[in-house]
Amino acid sequence: MGMNKSDDVTWDSFAEGLWRENPVFVMLLGMCPVLAVTNSAINALAMGLATTFVLMASGLLISLMRHLIPKQVRIAAFIVIIATFVTVVDYSIQAISLDLYNALGAFIQLIVVNCIILGRAEAYASKRRPALALISALGMGAGFTFALLCLGVVREILGAGALFGFDLFGANFEPWVVMVLPPGGFIILGAWLLLFDWRKHRTQLRSLQEERGRAG
Amino acid sequence: MKGQDAQAPATPALKMLIVLGGIAMLSGFLVVLVDQLTKPIIEANQQRAIERAVFKVVPGATLRRNYLVTPEGVHPAGDVGSGNGITVYGGYDDQGRLKGIAVNGAGMGYAGLVYLLYGYDPDCACIRRFEVLKMTETPGLGDKIISDAGFQANFIGPDGLSARLNGAGTALENAILTVKHGSKQHPWEIDAISGATITSKAVGKALNQSAQNLLPLLAPHLEQLKRIDIAPAESPTNGKGE
């Protein structure tokens, strides 16, 4: 944790969460909503945005209060702050659309216990200045939303023949129903993890070969 | 040497109390603020959702009145269920004539309760339509009760699904019953969807239980619900712009 690294707001402080430390595909955090609410693209997007808001708001507040909160009670303080913003999101979604609220079910309230949020509060926001905490939270939230959308889009297309509620293939399409059921969540998540891991290995292998080529 | 365990100066309990108390107060303030801001919008959303469902199950209705049905009689009611009784929604056309009555029902399905709103038509003493408010049935199987044309035909036909009271008016003449796919013989039977029998049965149970409870109480007072006076502001020609 070098001082110079933690003090500058760079593109990397945002992009880190989006790609290199993606909360879902790299850190494998927050799997519960990832599997549960990604049966359609719109649910995935709403859940991602809700989580991003909670990440940013709680990250900012925790960073602002980081010198005030005594070490012994920090987890309790973090949870109260996170729960507050989750309640704010809960009411807001009810006001925006009851259908969406019913579709997301209990998973809105369960954002409180999403380990990405407490994890980022403890490991990052409570040690950095507000601007950094906010940008990093935005990056993590974007990464989480991106991952949820990756699953939601594929599952909705295969399982319902639609995208964001718009019918894609007409009446003759026989939906692959298992894809919108829980097993489909595991299958698609596994497929995405495989793809990302394969890509990572390939780039590693290529850079290794390049090095050898230069040496030889 | 032992004393060196606590290298950092101990935080006084008072400071912890103040910080946690302060955070809790801030949190309470925020939650109350958001609650106050969103409450009217959420209530309007809930009303609109009820309205949409009522107009769907009572064809031809453009206005809605809520009633509370109790053993003592039928009274106008608000949107939030109040007191002991069954809340029903009267659907009226723009002339103020009763087109049907929407009622809630619930039956145990495969994965949990299936919550319905159904439209009772007093003219034919039958159920004409139903709408699923909430369910957790398996997509592709149980949720066919919404989309399956054959299942909907149980209700949409000219006579609907019979829900006639017996002579004494104490119960249904024939209990509403879900039967195996293809074996429907009577107008009070529901032809189940093959492959979704449990959910089909949940619909039958929900309708039967609700109708058995409600209709004996409602029947003696039906005349008083037949017509309503419409305030000019409510007539759909003025109200449609919303």
Side-chain angles (χ1 to χ4, degrees), chain A residues 68-80, chain B residues 11-13 15-21 23:
Chain A
L68 286 175
I69 300 174
K71 209 176 80 208
Q72 295 89 332
V73 294
R74 66 186 192 286
I75 300 292
F78 295 167
I79 287 288
V80 173
Chain B
T11 315
K15 191 188 172 193
M16 297 189 211
L17 274 175
I18 290 173
V19 170
L20 277 181
I23 290 176

Side-chain angles (χ1 to χ4, degrees), chain A residues 131-164:
Chain A
L132 259 176
L134 199 63
I135 296 294
S136 163
L138 181 65
M140 281 289 159
F144 188 65
T145 310
F146 166 72
L148 286 177
L149 270 176
C150 281
L151 268 87
V153 165
V154 174
R155 288 179 70 188
E156 192 180 350
I157 291 177
L158 296 179
L163 188 57
F164 288 102

Side-chain angles (χ1 to χ4, degrees), chain B residues 58-126:
Chain B
V58 181
T62 55
L63 290 172
R64 166 179 64 109
R65 285 282 190 281
N66 297 355
Y67 299 102
L68 190 69
V69 181
T70 62
E72 285 79 48
V74 177
H75 317 283
D79 273 323
V80 190
S82 49
N84 296 323
I86 308 167
T87 304
V88 300
Y89 312 100
Y92 296 87
D93 66 7
D94 44 17
Q95 246 74 106
R97 284 184 302 239
L98 182 69
K99 301 299 284 182
I101 295 166
V103 192
N104 288 300
M108 195 64 189
Y110 181 73
L113 280 169
V114 177
Y115 294 90
L116 307 171
L117 187 79
Y118 64 90
Y120 172 74
D121 184 344
D123 292 335
C124 71
C126 67

Side-chain angles (χ1 to χ4, degrees), chain A residues 41-198:
Chain A
I42 189 75
N43 289 357
L45 183 66
M47 187 68 197
L49 293 181
T51 310
T52 305
F53 170 78
V54 177
L55 258 170
M56 291 177 68
S58 62
L60 179 67
L61 194 60
I62 287 167
S63 171
L64 283 170
M65 298 180 80
R66 67 192 187 280
H67 299 306
L68 286 175
I69 300 174
K71 209 176 80 208
Q72 295 89 332
V73 294
R74 66 186 192 286
I75 300 292
F78 295 167
I79 287 288
V80 173
I81 290 171
I82 294 167
T84 305
F85 288 112
V86 170
T87 313
V88 170
V89 167
D90 188 87
Y91 283 135
S92 308
I93 293 185
Q94 281 189 65
I96 293 167
S97 161
L98 277 182
D99 291 336
L100 188 62
Y101 184 74
N102 289 336
L104 295 176
F107 290 98
I108 292 292
Q109 289 96 311
L110 284 177
I111 295 176
V112 177
V113 290
N114 190 321
C115 35
I116 299 169
I117 296 170
L118 188 61
R120 294 309 289 176
E122 164 78 1
Y124 200 90
S126 62
K127 296 178 180 128
R128 303 295 205 285
R129 57 199 175 82
L132 259 176
L134 199 63
I135 296 294
S136 163
L138 181 65
M140 281 289 159
F144 188 65
T145 310
F146 166 72
L148 286 177
L149 270 176
C150 281
L151 268 87
V153 165
V154 174
R155 288 179 70 188
E156 192 180 350
I157 291 177
L158 296 179
L163 188 57
F164 288 102
F166 293 107
D167 206 359
L168 290 181
F169 306 118
N172 286 328
F173 178 76
E174 186 59 43
W176 194 1
V177 173
V178 73
M179 284 305 166
V180 293
L181 299 180
F186 284 98
I187 294 170
I188 299 296
L189 178 66
W192 277 115
L193 288 176
L194 184 73
L195 190 73
F196 279 102
D197 220 41
W198 172 73

Side-chain angles (χ1 to χ4, degrees), chain A residues 15-27 120 140:
Chain A
E16 191 179 57
L18 190 62
W19 194 250
R20 202 158 36 81
E21 279 183 33
N22 186 294
V24 175
F25 292 135
V26 178
M27 298 199 281
R120 294 309 289 176
M140 281 289 159

